[in-house]
Amino acid sequence: AKKNRQQFKQMKIEDTTVLFISGESSVIANPNDKNFLVSRMNAFDKAIVNGIENYSKFRGQIIAEQISYSIKAGINPNKIKSAKEIREEALNSEEIGIFDKLKSLANEKIDKRLLEEGIDPESEKEKVLKVVSNITESSSFRKTLETYSRISISGIQVAKVWEKCQINKPCRVAVLLARTPEQVGIAKAILNENSITVRGKPGKPIPKEWKVRDILANIGARIRRDENGNYHVLATAIAVPQTNNDTSLNVAYKNAGSLADGFIRKFAGAIITSNINSNISEIENISNLGNSDSEINQYLNAKITANSEAAKIYGISLISQGPVIHPVNPDVNAVYVIK
């Protein structure tokens, strides 16, 4: 992974605004270890989480600042217009949606605190401003913002991968994640059997035979557009047979197939989760988790899993499968499945 890589950037490409996020991680197993390919896959998962967490933290801070400024401006009628103008300049449409929901949560917490401390909003404006700062700058409120921001960009795709790998040395991996406003709509449509067929500009045919570099570079689920402009969700998974006999090989193919199915279902669950119009009670659930990263991760994973299990996904079929090796250690024979 390169040093000083820009972690997130929003770019205009033709008529679409694309959000790019980068993330990095290390592969725990050395390349000469039989578990290297499994460890490599786990490292890419961590890199994805790393990128999303860093971006969510950055975006959460910006939204928190706008919430604090907006509430404080509300106490001074002369500043309400300027606060709205600054907010519209600082936040995109998705972030304004998060702003509106979290501002409601902040106002509830502020009203409750003012009542508890017996502060009169009309005559004790300085005390009110202090309460606003204490709540909107608190670690728990910032964590809630970060978590809700993470939910909103769930289902983001890996657009490009890098890996720096040498035999007998730990490997580093990096990912470039990409997300467009249209992505959620496309994903929901192609995951719904009864939806109207979604088409875009003609792309390249979905290959039946894949090069090793393309197999290794496909991480998780991706949306691809074929030569007719039809969209497909593709997922690639790799498994390593425990022995050299046919039974072990068949088990490896089944495991890889199950993993690929799981990637598509998890992608669907994440897309559904990111598109949920959460109400205040849902946000309160996140807020009540406090600052515990493990509890927050468990909560998010449970929501995505529940949504992925509830989703009716049609048309998952085998596209390609076969043997694959990683160039850094050709002695480890693995198998891949693409669905």
Side-chain angles (χ1 to χ4, degrees):
K2 297 178 182 178
K3 292 182 179 179
N4 302 319
R5 189 190 305 279
Q6 191 170 353
Q7 287 193 310
F8 28 82
K9 187 173 184 178
Q10 198 159 273
M11 295 175 60
K12 191 82 172 176
I13 299 178
E14 295 181 351
D15 298 327
T16 302
T17 301
V18 185
L19 169 65
F20 291 107
I21 303 172
S22 66
E24 300 180 54
S25 184
S26 294
V27 181
I28 295 174
N30 283 328
N32 58 342
D33 191 315
K34 187 175 182 179
N35 296 315
F36 169 70
L37 286 172
V38 175
S39 183
R40 174 184 178 272
M41 194 160 54
N42 292 337
F44 275 117
D45 283 343
K46 289 178 183 176
I48 293 168
V49 171
N50 167 258
I52 291 174
E53 284 183 345
N54 287 336
Y55 176 69
S56 298
K57 190 175 291 184
F58 166 78
R59 186 164 76 162
Q61 182 176 343
I62 291 176
I63 297 173
E65 289 170 357
Q66 291 301 314
I67 289 173
S68 179
Y69 184 79
S70 176
I71 293 174
K72 288 177 179 177
I75 299 170
N76 184 347
N78 296 325
K79 291 185 177 181
I80 292 177
K81 184 179 178 181
S82 64
K84 188 174 185 296
E85 290 171 349
I86 291 171
R87 178 167 72 254
E88 289 177 350
E89 185 176 328
L91 306 179
N92 61 34
S93 58
E94 182 179 70
E95 290 165 346
I96 287 175
I98 298 173
F99 166 92
D100 290 337
K101 293 180 179 70
L102 271 296
K103 183 182 175 183
S104 296
L105 175 65
N107 276 323
E108 281 195 2
K109 289 180 177 291
I110 290 165
D111 290 343
K112 184 179 178 182
R113 183 75 60 84
L114 294 179
L115 188 63
E116 289 173 348
E117 298 184 11
I119 298 173
D120 182 2
E122 297 300 323
S123 62
E124 300 178 283
K125 293 189 183 296
E126 288 301 319
K127 289 184 178 180
V128 173
L129 290 174
K130 188 175 180 180
V131 169
V132 171
S133 295
N134 288 342
I135 287 174
T136 58
E137 294 171 15
S138 68
S139 59
S140 61
F141 187 73
R142 294 293 174 97
K143 198 69 179 179
T144 302
L145 259 171
E146 289 170 28
T147 304
Y148 195 61
S149 181
R150 276 177 62 187
I151 290 176
S152 72
I153 56 173
S154 295
I156 197 166
Q157 296 180 87
V158 177
K160 189 174 179 60
V161 302
W162 294 267
E163 53 186 318
K164 185 177 181 181
C165 224
Q166 294 175 314
I167 199 74
N168 295 324
K169 289 185 178 180
C171 300
R172 290 283 297 172
V173 300
V175 295
L176 180 67
L177 308 172
R179 185 175 189 269
T180 67
E182 296 84 6
Q183 182 176 304
V184 171
I186 292 169
K188 285 191 72 180
I190 59 184
L191 292 168
N192 183 352
E193 185 187 42
N194 298 317
S195 70
I196 299 171
T197 302
V198 179
R199 283 191 173 89
K201 294 179 181 178
K204 295 180 179 179
I206 306 296
K208 296 296 182 183
E209 295 183 3
W210 293 65
K211 295 179 180 178
V212 170
R213 68 181 183 186
D214 295 327
I215 295 167
L216 296 175
N218 277 277
I219 306 298
R222 285 183 175 183
I223 296 176
R224 290 278 298 264
R225 194 171 60 243
D226 66 19
E227 70 275 21
N228 299 314
N230 295 318
Y231 289 94
H232 306 263
V233 176
L234 302 186
T236 303
I238 295 173
V240 179
Q242 295 302 305
T243 64
N244 293 325
N245 62 42
D246 289 344
T247 301
S248 186
L249 185 65
N250 289 334
V251 169
Y253 274 116
K254 285 182 180 179
N255 288 342
S258 295
L259 278 173
D261 282 348
F263 290 152
I264 292 173
R265 294 183 186 283
K266 185 176 180 182
F267 177 75
I271 287 290
I272 294 166
T273 303
S274 72
N275 204 41
I276 289 175
N277 187 17
S278 300
N279 53 30
I280 290 298
S281 62
E282 172 67 25
I283 299 170
E284 279 283 8
N285 288 338
I286 299 170
S287 177
N288 291 337
L289 293 173
N291 294 327
S292 171
D293 285 328
S294 62
E295 286 192 37
I296 287 171
N297 287 332
Q298 286 175 14
Y299 178 83
L300 294 182
N301 287 336
K303 282 196 71 65
I304 289 172
T305 300
N307 284 325
S308 66
E309 289 174 351
K312 294 181 179 179
I313 304 171
Y314 304 92
I316 298 178
S317 59
L318 179 66
I319 292 173
S320 179
Q321 67 177 27
V324 64
I325 59 171
H326 194 290
V328 77
N329 187 358
D331 293 330
V332 177
N333 296 309
V335 299
Y336 78 92
V337 169
I338 299 176
K339 291 192 173 184

